[in-house]
PDB file of all heavy atoms in Angstrom:
ATOM      1  N   ALA A 163       2.073   5.265   0.495  1.00 96.00           N
ATOM      2  CA  ALA A 163       1.953   6.231   1.606  1.00 96.00           C
ATOM      3  C   ALA A 163       0.642   7.023   1.471  1.00 96.00           C
ATOM      4  O   ALA A 163      -0.043   7.272   2.460  1.00 96.00           O
ATOM      5  CB  ALA A 163       3.150   7.167   1.638  1.00 96.00           C
ATOM      6  N   ARG A 166      -2.236   4.861   2.489  1.00 97.00           N
ATOM      7  CA  ARG A 166      -2.265   4.672   3.949  1.00 97.00           C
ATOM      8  C   ARG A 166      -2.878   5.894   4.641  1.00 97.00           C
ATOM      9  O   ARG A 166      -3.722   5.776   5.515  1.00 97.00           O
ATOM     10  CB  ARG A 166      -0.885   4.364   4.501  1.00 97.00           C
ATOM     11  CG  ARG A 166      -0.424   2.940   4.235  1.00 97.00           C
ATOM     12  CD  ARG A 166       0.824   2.565   5.017  1.00 97.00           C
ATOM     13  NE  ARG A 166       1.948   3.453   4.759  1.00 97.00           N
ATOM     14  CZ  ARG A 166       2.776   3.328   3.726  1.00 97.00           C
ATOM     15  NH1 ARG A 166       2.604   2.353   2.861  1.00 97.00           N
ATOM     16  NH2 ARG A 166       3.784   4.163   3.562  1.00 97.00           N
ATOM     17  N   ILE A 167      -2.442   7.099   4.216  1.00 97.00           N
ATOM     18  CA  ILE A 167      -2.985   8.281   4.889  1.00 97.00           C
ATOM     19  C   ILE A 167      -4.431   8.503   4.491  1.00 97.00           C
ATOM     20  O   ILE A 167      -5.240   8.972   5.312  1.00 97.00           O
ATOM     21  CB  ILE A 167      -2.105   9.530   4.671  1.00 97.00           C
ATOM     22  CG1 ILE A 167      -2.482  10.625   5.662  1.00 97.00           C
ATOM     23  CG2 ILE A 167      -2.197  10.068   3.246  1.00 97.00           C
ATOM     24  CD1 ILE A 167      -2.374  10.264   7.133  1.00 97.00           C
ATOM     25  N   GLU A 169      -6.624   6.178   3.983  1.00 97.00           N
ATOM     26  CA  GLU A 169      -7.405   5.262   4.821  1.00 97.00           C
ATOM     27  C   GLU A 169      -7.522   5.787   6.254  1.00 97.00           C
ATOM     28  O   GLU A 169      -8.591   5.766   6.842  1.00 97.00           O
ATOM     29  CB  GLU A 169      -6.714   3.898   4.810  1.00 97.00           C
ATOM     30  CG  GLU A 169      -7.482   2.820   5.521  1.00 97.00           C
ATOM     31  CD  GLU A 169      -6.799   1.480   5.408  1.00 97.00           C
ATOM     32  OE1 GLU A 169      -6.860   0.898   4.294  1.00 97.00           O
ATOM     33  OE2 GLU A 169      -6.215   1.001   6.389  1.00 97.00           O
ATOM     34  N   TYR A 170      -6.407   6.261   6.805  1.00 97.00           N
ATOM     35  CA  TYR A 170      -6.437   6.774   8.177  1.00 97.00           C
ATOM     36  C   TYR A 170      -7.262   8.058   8.243  1.00 97.00           C
ATOM     37  O   TYR A 170      -8.084   8.220   9.157  1.00 97.00           O
ATOM     38  CB  TYR A 170      -5.008   7.012   8.682  1.00 97.00           C
ATOM     39  CG  TYR A 170      -5.003   7.573  10.093  1.00 97.00           C
ATOM     40  CD1 TYR A 170      -5.402   6.779  11.171  1.00 97.00           C
ATOM     41  CD2 TYR A 170      -4.646   8.895  10.343  1.00 97.00           C
ATOM     42  CE1 TYR A 170      -5.404   7.305  12.445  1.00 97.00           C
ATOM     43  CE2 TYR A 170      -4.643   9.399  11.608  1.00 97.00           C
ATOM     44  CZ  TYR A 170      -5.035   8.595  12.669  1.00 97.00           C
ATOM     45  OH  TYR A 170      -5.038   9.104  13.957  1.00 97.00           O
ATOM     46  N   SER A 173     -10.830   7.667   8.474  1.00 96.00           N
ATOM     47  CA  SER A 173     -11.314   7.046   9.713  1.00 96.00           C
ATOM     48  C   SER A 173     -11.069   7.945  10.920  1.00 96.00           C
ATOM     49  O   SER A 173     -11.280   7.535  12.061  1.00 96.00           O
ATOM     50  CB  SER A 173     -10.631   5.699   9.930  1.00 96.00           C
ATOM     51  OG  SER A 173      -9.279   5.880  10.304  1.00 96.00           O
ATOM     52  N   GLU A 177     -11.340   8.359  18.763  1.00 96.00           N
ATOM     53  CA  GLU A 177     -10.748   7.088  19.162  1.00 96.00           C
ATOM     54  C   GLU A 177      -9.558   6.655  18.271  1.00 96.00           C
ATOM     55  O   GLU A 177      -8.822   5.764  18.646  1.00 96.00           O
ATOM     56  CB  GLU A 177     -11.796   5.965  19.227  1.00 96.00           C
ATOM     57  CG  GLU A 177     -12.593   5.753  17.939  1.00 96.00           C
ATOM     58  CD  GLU A 177     -13.841   6.638  17.843  1.00 96.00           C
ATOM     59  OE1 GLU A 177     -14.050   7.542  18.652  1.00 96.00           O
ATOM     60  OE2 GLU A 177     -14.585   6.384  16.879  1.00 96.00           O
ATOM     61  N   THR A 178      -9.385   7.315  17.136  1.00 97.00           N
ATOM     62  CA  THR A 178      -8.226   6.957  16.277  1.00 97.00           C
ATOM     63  C   THR A 178      -7.043   7.912  16.505  1.00 97.00           C
ATOM     64  O   THR A 178      -5.982   7.673  15.961  1.00 97.00           O
ATOM     65  CB  THR A 178      -8.612   6.951  14.778  1.00 97.00           C
ATOM     66  OG1 THR A 178      -8.981   8.272  14.377  1.00 97.00           O
ATOM     67  CG2 THR A 178      -9.730   5.962  14.490  1.00 97.00           C
ATOM     68  N   LEU A 179      -7.231   8.978  17.292  1.00 96.00           N
ATOM     69  CA  LEU A 179      -6.142   9.933  17.503  1.00 96.00           C
ATOM     70  C   LEU A 179      -4.898   9.315  18.135  1.00 96.00           C
ATOM     71  O   LEU A 179      -3.773   9.731  17.814  1.00 96.00           O
ATOM     72  CB  LEU A 179      -6.637  11.126  18.329  1.00 96.00           C
ATOM     73  CG  LEU A 179      -7.618  12.043  17.628  1.00 96.00           C
ATOM     74  CD1 LEU A 179      -8.020  13.210  18.535  1.00 96.00           C
ATOM     75  CD2 LEU A 179      -7.066  12.545  16.300  1.00 96.00           C
ATOM     76  N   PRO A 180      -5.032   8.302  19.038  1.00 96.00           N
ATOM     77  CA  PRO A 180      -3.823   7.706  19.571  1.00 96.00           C
ATOM     78  C   PRO A 180      -2.895   7.078  18.505  1.00 96.00           C
ATOM     79  O   PRO A 180      -1.750   6.825  18.770  1.00 96.00           O
ATOM     80  CB  PRO A 180      -4.332   6.652  20.544  1.00 96.00           C
ATOM     81  CG  PRO A 180      -5.666   7.179  20.977  1.00 96.00           C
ATOM     82  CD  PRO A 180      -6.236   7.821  19.718  1.00 96.00           C
ATOM     83  N   ARG A 181      -3.421   6.869  17.316  1.00 96.00           N
ATOM     84  CA  ARG A 181      -2.604   6.263  16.216  1.00 96.00           C
ATOM     85  C   ARG A 181      -1.966   7.312  15.314  1.00 96.00           C
ATOM     86  O   ARG A 181      -1.388   6.945  14.285  1.00 96.00           O
ATOM     87  CB  ARG A 181      -3.494   5.316  15.413  1.00 96.00           C
ATOM     88  CG  ARG A 181      -4.000   4.124  16.227  1.00 96.00           C
ATOM     89  CD  ARG A 181      -4.862   3.129  15.462  1.00 96.00           C
ATOM     90  NE  ARG A 181      -4.692   3.136  14.044  1.00 96.00           N
ATOM     91  CZ  ARG A 181      -5.682   3.207  13.125  1.00 96.00           C
ATOM     92  NH1 ARG A 181      -6.922   3.291  13.517  1.00 96.00           N
ATOM     93  NH2 ARG A 181      -5.439   3.166  11.850  1.00 96.00           N
ATOM     94  N   LEU A 182      -2.040   8.596  15.671  1.00 97.00           N
ATOM     95  CA  LEU A 182      -1.446   9.626  14.832  1.00 97.00           C
ATOM     96  C   LEU A 182       0.012   9.316  14.493  1.00 97.00           C
ATOM     97  O   LEU A 182       0.466   9.497  13.369  1.00 97.00           O
ATOM     98  CB  LEU A 182      -1.517  11.011  15.521  1.00 97.00           C
ATOM     99  CG  LEU A 182      -2.810  11.760  15.444  1.00 97.00           C
ATOM    100  CD1 LEU A 182      -2.716  13.030  16.300  1.00 97.00           C
ATOM    101  CD2 LEU A 182      -3.175  12.129  14.010  1.00 97.00           C
ATOM    102  N   GLY A 183       0.767   8.898  15.489  1.00 97.00           N
ATOM    103  CA  GLY A 183       2.207   8.620  15.310  1.00 97.00           C
ATOM    104  C   GLY A 183       2.514   7.476  14.343  1.00 97.00           C
ATOM    105  O   GLY A 183       3.654   7.364  13.854  1.00 97.00           O
ATOM    106  N   GLU A 184       1.546   6.665  14.048  1.00 97.00           N
ATOM    107  CA  GLU A 184       1.730   5.595  13.064  1.00 97.00           C
ATOM    108  C   GLU A 184       1.704   6.153  11.654  1.00 97.00           C
ATOM    109  O   GLU A 184       2.206   5.541  10.724  1.00 97.00           O
ATOM    110  CB  GLU A 184       0.629   4.537  13.203  1.00 97.00           C
ATOM    111  CG  GLU A 184       0.612   3.782  14.492  1.00 97.00           C
ATOM    112  CD  GLU A 184      -0.583   2.867  14.623  1.00 97.00           C
ATOM    113  OE1 GLU A 184      -1.195   2.482  13.583  1.00 97.00           O
ATOM    114  OE2 GLU A 184      -0.963   2.554  15.773  1.00 97.00           O
ATOM    115  N   HIS A 185       1.111   7.343  11.480  1.00 97.00           N
ATOM    116  CA  HIS A 185       0.892   7.907  10.154  1.00 97.00           C
ATOM    117  C   HIS A 185       1.583   9.246   9.920  1.00 97.00           C
ATOM    118  O   HIS A 185       1.838   9.608   8.766  1.00 97.00           O
ATOM    119  CB  HIS A 185      -0.615   8.031   9.871  1.00 97.00           C
ATOM    120  CG  HIS A 185      -1.320   6.744  10.008  1.00 97.00           C
ATOM    121  ND1 HIS A 185      -1.335   5.786   9.007  1.00 97.00           N
ATOM    122  CD2 HIS A 185      -2.002   6.185  11.057  1.00 97.00           C
ATOM    123  CE1 HIS A 185      -2.017   4.743   9.418  1.00 97.00           C
ATOM    124  NE2 HIS A 185      -2.431   4.943  10.642  1.00 97.00           N
ATOM    125  N   TYR A 186       1.842   9.954  10.998  1.00 98.00           N
ATOM    126  CA  TYR A 186       2.474  11.286  10.922  1.00 98.00           C
ATOM    127  C   TYR A 186       3.854  11.259  11.559  1.00 98.00           C
ATOM    128  O   TYR A 186       4.016  10.672  12.637  1.00 98.00           O
ATOM    129  CB  TYR A 186       1.579  12.324  11.611  1.00 98.00           C
ATOM    130  CG  TYR A 186       0.315  12.656  10.865  1.00 98.00           C
ATOM    131  CD1 TYR A 186      -0.837  11.895  11.037  1.00 98.00           C
ATOM    132  CD2 TYR A 186       0.242  13.743  10.020  1.00 98.00           C
ATOM    133  CE1 TYR A 186      -2.005  12.193  10.377  1.00 98.00           C
ATOM    134  CE2 TYR A 186      -0.930  14.083   9.341  1.00 98.00           C
ATOM    135  CZ  TYR A 186      -2.050  13.302   9.532  1.00 98.00           C
ATOM    136  OH  TYR A 186      -3.209  13.594   8.842  1.00 98.00           O
ATOM    137  N   ALA A 187       4.809  11.947  10.933  1.00 98.00           N
ATOM    138  CA  ALA A 187       6.158  12.043  11.476  1.00 98.00           C
ATOM    139  C   ALA A 187       6.149  12.815  12.774  1.00 98.00           C
ATOM    140  O   ALA A 187       5.297  13.670  13.004  1.00 98.00           O
ATOM    141  CB  ALA A 187       7.097  12.714  10.440  1.00 98.00           C
ATOM    142  N   ASP A 188       7.146  12.551  13.633  1.00 97.00           N
ATOM    143  CA  ASP A 188       7.219  13.224  14.923  1.00 97.00           C
ATOM    144  C   ASP A 188       7.216  14.753  14.795  1.00 97.00           C
ATOM    145  O   ASP A 188       6.644  15.445  15.624  1.00 97.00           O
ATOM    146  CB  ASP A 188       8.495  12.806  15.677  1.00 97.00           C
ATOM    147  CG  ASP A 188       8.430  11.353  16.162  1.00 97.00           C
ATOM    148  OD1 ASP A 188       7.329  10.776  16.188  1.00 97.00           O
ATOM    149  OD2 ASP A 188       9.487  10.795  16.470  1.00 97.00           O
ATOM    150  N   VAL A 190       5.956  16.590  12.288  1.00 98.00           N
ATOM    151  CA  VAL A 190       5.007  16.975  11.227  1.00 98.00           C
ATOM    152  C   VAL A 190       4.678  18.477  11.301  1.00 98.00           C
ATOM    153  O   VAL A 190       4.568  19.040  12.379  1.00 98.00           O
ATOM    154  CB  VAL A 190       3.717  16.124  11.301  1.00 98.00           C
ATOM    155  CG1 VAL A 190       2.964  16.330  12.600  1.00 98.00           C
ATOM    156  CG2 VAL A 190       2.819  16.389  10.100  1.00 98.00           C
ATOM    157  N   LEU A 202       3.672  16.105  16.764  1.00 97.00           N
ATOM    158  CA  LEU A 202       2.508  15.286  17.001  1.00 97.00           C
ATOM    159  C   LEU A 202       1.606  15.856  18.110  1.00 97.00           C
ATOM    160  O   LEU A 202       0.372  15.766  18.012  1.00 97.00           O
ATOM    161  CB  LEU A 202       2.904  13.873  17.367  1.00 97.00           C
ATOM    162  CG  LEU A 202       3.493  13.021  16.244  1.00 97.00           C
ATOM    163  CD1 LEU A 202       4.010  11.671  16.768  1.00 97.00           C
ATOM    164  CD2 LEU A 202       2.441  12.782  15.152  1.00 97.00           C
ATOM    165  N   LEU A 205      -0.496  18.566  16.543  1.00 97.00           N
ATOM    166  CA  LEU A 205      -1.492  17.979  15.655  1.00 97.00           C
ATOM    167  C   LEU A 205      -2.615  17.328  16.416  1.00 97.00           C
ATOM    168  O   LEU A 205      -3.795  17.500  16.075  1.00 97.00           O
ATOM    169  CB  LEU A 205      -0.816  16.974  14.698  1.00 97.00           C
ATOM    170  CG  LEU A 205      -1.708  16.347  13.653  1.00 97.00           C
ATOM    171  CD1 LEU A 205      -2.317  17.401  12.733  1.00 97.00           C
ATOM    172  CD2 LEU A 205      -0.932  15.316  12.850  1.00 97.00           C
ATOM    173  N   GLN A 206      -2.287  16.607  17.464  1.00 97.00           N
ATOM    174  CA  GLN A 206      -3.303  15.969  18.294  1.00 97.00           C
ATOM    175  C   GLN A 206      -4.210  17.029  18.893  1.00 97.00           C
ATOM    176  O   GLN A 206      -5.440  16.878  18.898  1.00 97.00           O
ATOM    177  CB  GLN A 206      -2.699  15.077  19.354  1.00 97.00           C
ATOM    178  CG  GLN A 206      -3.795  14.406  20.178  1.00 97.00           C
ATOM    179  CD  GLN A 206      -3.359  13.125  20.822  1.00 97.00           C
ATOM    180  OE1 GLN A 206      -2.359  12.519  20.439  1.00 97.00           O
ATOM    181  NE2 GLN A 206      -4.152  12.656  21.762  1.00 97.00           N
ATOM    182  N   PHE A 258       5.626  13.298   2.261  1.00 98.00           N
ATOM    183  CA  PHE A 258       5.964  12.113   3.018  1.00 98.00           C
ATOM    184  C   PHE A 258       7.463  12.033   3.287  1.00 98.00           C
ATOM    185  O   PHE A 258       8.260  12.390   2.412  1.00 98.00           O
ATOM    186  CB  PHE A 258       5.511  10.839   2.266  1.00 98.00           C
ATOM    187  CG  PHE A 258       4.055  10.853   1.970  1.00 98.00           C
ATOM    188  CD1 PHE A 258       3.557  11.100   0.692  1.00 98.00           C
ATOM    189  CD2 PHE A 258       3.117  10.641   2.971  1.00 98.00           C
ATOM    190  CE1 PHE A 258       2.202  11.115   0.405  1.00 98.00           C
ATOM    191  CE2 PHE A 258       1.742  10.650   2.725  1.00 98.00           C
ATOM    192  CZ  PHE A 258       1.285  10.883   1.429  1.00 98.00           C
ATOM    193  N   ASP A 259       7.838  11.547   4.466  1.00 97.00           N
ATOM    194  CA  ASP A 259       9.246  11.323   4.766  1.00 97.00           C
ATOM    195  C   ASP A 259       9.678   9.985   4.160  1.00 97.00           C
ATOM    196  O   ASP A 259       8.833   9.244   3.625  1.00 97.00           O
ATOM    197  CB  ASP A 259       9.501  11.430   6.254  1.00 97.00           C
ATOM    198  CG  ASP A 259       8.918  10.305   7.098  1.00 97.00           C
ATOM    199  OD1 ASP A 259       8.447   9.279   6.551  1.00 97.00           O
ATOM    200  OD2 ASP A 259       8.919  10.448   8.325  1.00 97.00           O
ATOM    201  N   ALA A 261      10.209   7.218   5.456  1.00 96.00           N
ATOM    202  CA  ALA A 261       9.522   6.096   6.081  1.00 96.00           C
ATOM    203  C   ALA A 261       8.053   6.006   5.632  1.00 96.00           C
ATOM    204  O   ALA A 261       7.360   5.084   6.024  1.00 96.00           O
ATOM    205  CB  ALA A 261       9.602   6.165   7.590  1.00 96.00           C
ATOM    206  N   GLY A 262       7.604   6.977   4.818  1.00 96.00           N
ATOM    207  CA  GLY A 262       6.211   6.962   4.353  1.00 96.00           C
ATOM    208  C   GLY A 262       5.241   7.631   5.301  1.00 96.00           C
ATOM    209  O   GLY A 262       4.041   7.570   5.097  1.00 96.00           O
ATOM    210  N   LYS A 263       5.770   8.320   6.322  1.00 98.00           N
ATOM    211  CA  LYS A 263       4.889   9.069   7.227  1.00 98.00           C
ATOM    212  C   LYS A 263       4.692  10.471   6.707  1.00 98.00           C
ATOM    213  O   LYS A 263       5.551  11.033   5.989  1.00 98.00           O
ATOM    214  CB  LYS A 263       5.474   9.103   8.634  1.00 98.00           C
ATOM    215  CG  LYS A 263       5.447   7.735   9.319  1.00 98.00           C
ATOM    216  CD  LYS A 263       5.925   7.861  10.748  1.00 98.00           C
ATOM    217  CE  LYS A 263       5.803   6.524  11.474  1.00 98.00           C
ATOM    218  NZ  LYS A 263       6.178   6.685  12.907  1.00 98.00           N
ATOM    219  N   VAL A 264       3.601  11.089   7.120  1.00 98.00           N
ATOM    220  CA  VAL A 264       3.316  12.449   6.692  1.00 98.00           C
ATOM    221  C   VAL A 264       4.270  13.427   7.362  1.00 98.00           C
ATOM    222  O   VAL A 264       4.356  13.507   8.578  1.00 98.00           O
ATOM    223  CB  VAL A 264       1.857  12.839   7.043  1.00 98.00           C
ATOM    224  CG1 VAL A 264       1.609  14.302   6.696  1.00 98.00           C
ATOM    225  CG2 VAL A 264       0.874  11.937   6.296  1.00 98.00           C
ATOM    226  N   ALA A 265       5.043  14.162   6.540  1.00 98.00           N
ATOM    227  CA  ALA A 265       5.960  15.168   7.024  1.00 98.00           C
ATOM    228  C   ALA A 265       5.269  16.527   7.105  1.00 98.00           C
ATOM    229  O   ALA A 265       5.579  17.347   7.970  1.00 98.00           O
ATOM    230  CB  ALA A 265       7.198  15.253   6.140  1.00 98.00           C
TER     231      ALA A 265
END
Side-chain angles (χ1 to χ4, degrees):
R166 284 192 303 277
I167 195 58
E169 185 176 288
Y170 179 69
S173 72
E177 56 273 8
T178 65
L179 292 181
R181 296 181 24 230
L182 279 174
E184 296 174 22
H185 303 279
Y186 288 85
D188 291 343
V190 62
L202 289 173
L205 183 60
Q206 181 154 344
F258 302 105
D259 69 11
K263 291 185 176 184
V264 175

